[in-house]
Amino acid sequence: MLGTVLHGPGDVRCEEVPEPKILHPTDAIIRLSATCICGSDLWPYRGLNDIAAPMAMGHEYCGIVVAIGSAVTAVKPGQFVVGSFCLSDNTCPHCKFGFQSSCEQREFMTGAQAPLARVPLADGTLVATAALPPDDLIPSLLATSDVLGTGWYAADAARVQPGSTVVVVGDGAVGLMGVLAAKQKGAARIIAMSRHKTRQDLALEYGATDIIAERGDAGVARIKALTKGIGADSVLECVGTKESMTQAIQCARPGAMIGYVGVPHGVALDGQWLFFSQTGMLGGPAPVRRFLPHLMDLVLERKINPGKVFDLTLPLADVAEGYRAMDERRAIKTLLRL
Ligand SMILES: [Zn+2]
């Protein structure tokens, strides 16, 4: 079959790869209904992460189960399923505590930018729908697998509550999903930091009440001005740079929580500065599995439309263009048709 392989910085190809097989009794094989490119795929694509090339790309997935290992009991061939980018048993102490992304058996999904994929720990990882979903919901169901689940976790970790004032730092796909999540959780005010018109428009559609285009000290000053000098109750940090983390902490009022889901690159924080900021921080890879059943229900009931975050759709054969478009910020997020 044809699959997506990263050979080095800027060199991603759709090429012949072996079809996945059941390797462990706990595996399932799925035929993907659609797949997509993640903002985090751009880190190795840009050469900012060391990789063992060639590397099979893709960790966001939904589709139909075509085969299961002998120990799998929770899903069966023919069912439509969604799973998280973190593979988890959903039975260990960390999973039971709601942090499936730190599962004792955790693995990270790979190879999902392809027509078929192997999903390890299928029983703990996959969530099946009661019936096959209509085609028009596939992009939104795919979004629950990572980008929505991660934005949701940012809002959950930042303890967004009904009536909260929320700042979202970052207008990438995850930040936009953070806006959607904050709205669903009942935030009264959602301030999105964005300087790109198409992303501002989508943020407003997802529930942002204010847009701030300024960054750094000017951005913080605008937030203070909008909040009577107080700052935000909850801050969602969805970038992972030194500038975005600093901005997130500066926007937060004393006692606020910051949910940080951008993978930090080059971030170092001063201990005393953190101490006197009196803010709480919870982040890391999102335990998407905790939220999946609820998020899938919201999509199936057509209460949310996270699939709108895909503003470019390409056939898998054009995956290299999909990476380029996101790298050059011509696209927010690329959906790949199979
Ligand atoms: Zn576990």
Side-chain angles (χ1 to χ4, degrees):
M1 67 175 189
L2 292 172
T4 304
V5 179
L6 184 69
H7 287 268
D11 182 9
V12 69
R13 303 177 206 165
C14 179
E15 63 185 27
E16 195 63 33
V17 296
E19 283 198 12
K21 292 188 168 52
I22 300 278
L23 300 181
H24 302 290
T26 46
D27 290 349
I29 305 292
I30 64 166
R31 178 170 297 283
L32 283 90
S33 300
T35 183
C36 58
I37 300 171
C38 181
S40 67
D41 291 334
L42 297 180
W43 293 109
Y45 178 77
R46 289 169 174 159
L48 296 169
N49 284 0
D50 290 332
I51 61 159
M55 179 180 176
M57 299 299 287
H59 57 257
E60 299 175 71
Y61 57 97
C62 65
I64 308 285
V65 178
V66 293
I68 54 173
S70 58
V72 174
T73 58
V75 296
K76 55 180 192 276
Q79 280 185 316
F80 180 90
V81 292
V82 184
S84 165
F85 64 96
C86 281
L87 308 157
S88 55
D89 56 22
N90 216 21
T91 55
C92 79
H94 301 321
C95 284
K96 286 186 172 166
F97 199 58
F99 282 78
Q100 289 91 340
S101 44
S102 285
C103 175
E104 289 178 349
Q105 298 196 65
R106 178 184 70 185
E107 295 177 49
F108 288 102
M109 185 69 182
T110 59
Q113 286 161 8
L116 295 163
R118 181 176 76 94
V119 184
L121 301 173
D123 272 351
T125 299
L126 296 173
V127 178
T129 56
L132 294 185
D135 275 350
D136 69 306
L137 290 184
I138 296 296
S140 284
L141 287 165
L142 176 61
T144 65
S145 171
D146 179 353
V147 65
L148 174 60
T150 297
W152 197 274
Y153 172 55
D156 190 82
R159 297 201 193 131
V160 177
Q161 295 167 26
S164 292
T165 293
V166 179
V167 167
V168 180
V169 180
D171 65 358
V174 170
L176 292 166
M177 295 293 98
V179 171
L180 182 159
K183 174 75 176 172
Q184 286 290 313
K185 288 173 176 287
R189 191 156 202 192
I190 304 170
I191 305 167
M193 308 197 76
S194 169
R195 50 169 114 175
H196 301 86
K197 178 74 169 72
T198 52
R199 295 161 192 246
Q200 293 174 349
D201 290 346
L202 200 46
L204 291 168
E205 190 174 333
Y206 279 141
T209 53
D210 303 86
I211 301 283
I212 290 185
E214 290 86 348
R215 291 188 186 180
D217 289 344
V220 174
R222 285 286 314 279
I223 282 164
K224 288 288 169 70
L226 283 175
T227 57
K228 297 179 179 149
I230 297 168
D233 306 330
S234 298
V235 181
L236 283 54
E237 195 290 317
C238 307
V239 183
T241 61
K242 182 168 182 280
E243 293 72 24
S244 64
M245 289 287 273
T246 303
Q247 192 163 302
I249 295 163
Q250 287 176 321
C251 295
R253 69 187 291 176
M257 280 295 292
I258 299 163
Y260 66 109
V261 294
V263 183
H265 283 73
V267 178
L269 299 171
D270 179 77
Q272 282 216 5
W273 182 61
L274 270 183
F275 180 82
F276 284 105
S277 77
Q278 288 209 286
T279 53
M281 301 185 73
L282 177 59
V288 175
R289 179 63 183 80
R290 188 199 329 164
F291 310 118
L292 257 185
H294 178 54
L295 299 180
M296 290 166 67
D297 282 348
L298 289 175
V299 168
L300 292 167
E301 293 161 9
R302 297 183 185 272
K303 289 181 176 159
I304 57 172
N305 188 6
K308 278 203 81 170
V309 79
F310 296 108
D311 60 345
L312 178 64
T313 298
L314 295 171
L316 180 66
D318 294 338
V319 66
E321 167 56 16
Y323 275 77
R324 271 196 302 275
M326 285 174 62
D327 182 42
E328 296 165 8
R329 292 180 73 89
R330 286 184 280 118
I332 299 172
K333 193 167 175 70
T334 306
L335 184 123
L336 300 167
R337 289 279 175 201
L338 300 162

